[in-house]
Amino acid sequence: MSQTVKVTFKLNDRPVEVLVEPRELLIHTLREKLAHTGPHIGCETSHCGACTVDMNGASLKSCTILTVQCEGADILTIEGIAKNGELHALQEGFMQEHGLQCGFCTPGMITRAYRLLQEIPDPTEEEIRYWMAGNLCRCTGYQNIVKSIQYAARKLRGEPVETSHPLMGEKAAQSEMAG
Amino acid sequence: MIPKPFEYHSPQSLGDAVAMLQQYGDEAKLLAGGHSLLPMMKLRFAMPSHLIDLNRIPDLAGVSESGNEIRIGAMTTENQLIWSELLQRKLPLLVEAARLIADPQVRYRGTIGGDIAHGDPGNDHPALMLTLDASFVLAGANGERVVPASEFFLGTYYTAMNPDEIMTQIRIPVPPQGTGWCYAKLKRKTGDFAAAAAAVLLQMKGDTCTGVAIGLTNLGPTALRASDAEAALTGQPLTADAIEAAAQKVMAICEPAADLRGDETYKTAMAGEMFRKAIRTAMERCTR
Ligand SMILES: Cc1cc2nc3c(=O)[nH]c(=O)nc-3n(C[C@H](O)[C@H](O)[C@H](O)COP(=O)(O)OP(=O)(O)OC[C@H]3O[C@@H](n4cnc5c(N)ncnc54)[C@H](O)[C@@H]3O)c2cc1C
Ligand code: FES
Ligand code: FES
């Protein structure tokens, strides 16, 4: 067995230190050593995007990077997306627009979309589909994921947001009438 | 899916990296973006005892112009290629192709140098490099040498690079003003390698082809340059018949390996189709 190595990095704004074998993949360190089980393992072969995290301003598949490569890095996972107990616009968007069903792909989807909206604050549907193509979803058919990201983009730009979901819209209208 | 144990090194300079390659010889592998190597290590197709990470070496990434040449650092990522305004203006073929490589996350990590050095005929950059008449700067213990792409790809996973060399830069002559371009790639889905792909660079005067370069991806043991088809087109009016005759010459040099993407007959037919698509698009983009 090879020697273990000490690696330090920032995880969701908190400094962390781990001892790992050089061959350990970041996804395993996050899930097994640091109790961050938001990033999921869907394929472990760099295809599905469920393990996506944000590192130094780039989305990456944490099943395809070694933890030793992360020395000094700044890493953001789904656990660090909500701030001060308030959901991020993307989390709200996925909720309002039914952007998830089983939820397995969702941490990866939201973490990837987070970086996408930093790079393109006002993406077209085509741009969303192109730049989200590294994340697979077996449930939703993607339509509502696109809508969720559009919802979040509007909110982050400071524009008014409204769910496009017919039942939720109706419910809101009813409660307004009742109120 | 865990690689075999190895020792990890992250040299801070090119000189240190070359020295490590010399010291560890066959036992060592360079790590760039890791998106070909780490998957192979997980499957234990690659089992280096020493992994030498190039990511901490400064100045190995970036795109610049020097005279009539574009210079691209070997560690430049696919997304950096896509976002480079210089490449969008001077080498749109490379940008069009990079957009078709892998998926967004892979493109943040995967490097042009790794894509070329890997020697996989399924990778897209080798055929592009042949088409663009690129050359590669290789740094070793005895200094640098520059190898043209046409002499670089020797076989599947087999290149002209010595085991103690590091690719540092890709040099590409800027094609003449008015050159038309297209990379046509058939793939089953995002993130898939090409079933067949064709790169075309085209110069025309009126209806006549005055110069053409054609490269093919995943259609043989290495990327291919379709020289016969190029010779048949050069100096000729680009009629439907001339294009069809060239397509036959393109298909004649294909020896694709059968896999889940299709058998030899299908892939060869698709090579013809990708070539027809690429040359028609390049014609539309030519200023004559
Ligand atoms: C899901 C998925 C889809 C993909 N789809 C495509 C695709 O459609 N088209 C495509 O072209 N590729 C595709 N790839 C491969 C991807 O583009 C890789 O990033 C690329 O092939 C290798 O580049 P890298 O920087 O990741 O190199 P690494 O994986 O780090 O290295 C690859 C090899 O090159 C050597 N090497 C790397 N850099 C140097 C250097 N500077 N000097 C000398 N040797 C070096 C390494 O030692 C290793 O042997 C895909 C990968 C994945 C995971
Ligand atoms: S688990 Fe990393 S891409 Fe699927
Ligand atoms: S919600 Fe089930 S995989 Fe996407």
Side-chain angles (χ1 to χ4, degrees), chain A residues 40-179:
Chain A
H40 290 159
I41 301 176
C43 66
E44 231 178 346
T45 56
S46 344
H47 286 94
C48 73
C51 65
T52 299
V53 302
D54 195 82
M55 179 167 120
N56 299 340
S59 306
L60 60 87
K61 294 177 174 173
S62 60
C63 71
T64 314
I65 184 162
L66 303 165
T67 305
V68 279
Q69 292 185 270
C70 303
E71 177 60 43
D74 199 344
I75 296 174
L76 175 77
T77 67
I78 188 70
E79 285 89 346
I81 297 261
K83 289 273 184 279
N84 307 321
E86 256 195 51
L87 292 185
H88 187 274
L90 275 160
Q91 293 168 310
E92 183 183 317
F94 271 70
M95 188 174 78
Q96 293 293 347
E97 297 286 13
H98 276 226
L100 63 146
Q101 287 177 29
C102 80
F104 191 85
C105 69
T106 315
M109 287 286 177
I110 289 181
T111 314
R112 169 61 199 135
Y114 172 85
R115 182 52 49 195
L116 165 61
L117 292 182
Q118 314 263 317
E119 285 166 357
I120 314 176
D122 192 1
T124 61
E125 171 167 353
E126 196 188 342
E127 283 172 321
I128 292 175
R129 287 183 182 273
Y130 177 76
W131 288 105
M132 290 298 296
N135 295 72
L136 302 182
C137 175
R138 301 299 274 173
C139 302
T140 63
Y142 301 102
Q143 194 64 33
N144 286 354
I145 291 178
V146 172
K147 285 187 189 165
S148 306
I149 296 171
Q150 287 169 327
Y151 177 107
R154 279 195 298 275
K155 178 152 185 180
L156 289 170
R157 293 198 307 267
E159 293 166 22
V161 281
E162 200 183 328
T163 175
S164 69
H165 196 277
L167 294 179
M168 288 177 93
E170 220 168 81
K171 217 166 143 194
Q174 276 170 5
S175 63
E176 242 168 60
M177 280 196 304

Side-chain angles (χ1 to χ4, degrees), chain A residues 45-47 61 64, chain B residues 29-39 54 60 74-75 78 100-103 106 109-120 122-126 138 161 165-168 185 187 189-194:
Chain A
T45 56
S46 344
H47 286 94
K61 294 177 174 173
T64 314
Chain B
K29 271 267 175 210
L30 297 170
L31 177 68
H35 275 67
S36 289
L37 185 55
L38 292 175
L54 297 175
L60 283 182
M75 290 294 286
E78 304 294 350
L100 297 170
I101 290 178
D103 65 43
V106 176
R109 300 280 316 159
T111 67
I112 182 170
D115 199 276
I116 296 167
H118 195 45
D120 185 340
N123 278 1
D124 293 291
H125 282 295
L138 308 179
M161 218 166 32
E165 283 180 317
I166 298 174
M167 185 180 294
T168 56
K185 175 174 175 179
K187 51 180 182 169
K189 61 171 199 58
T190 295
D192 192 21
F193 291 88

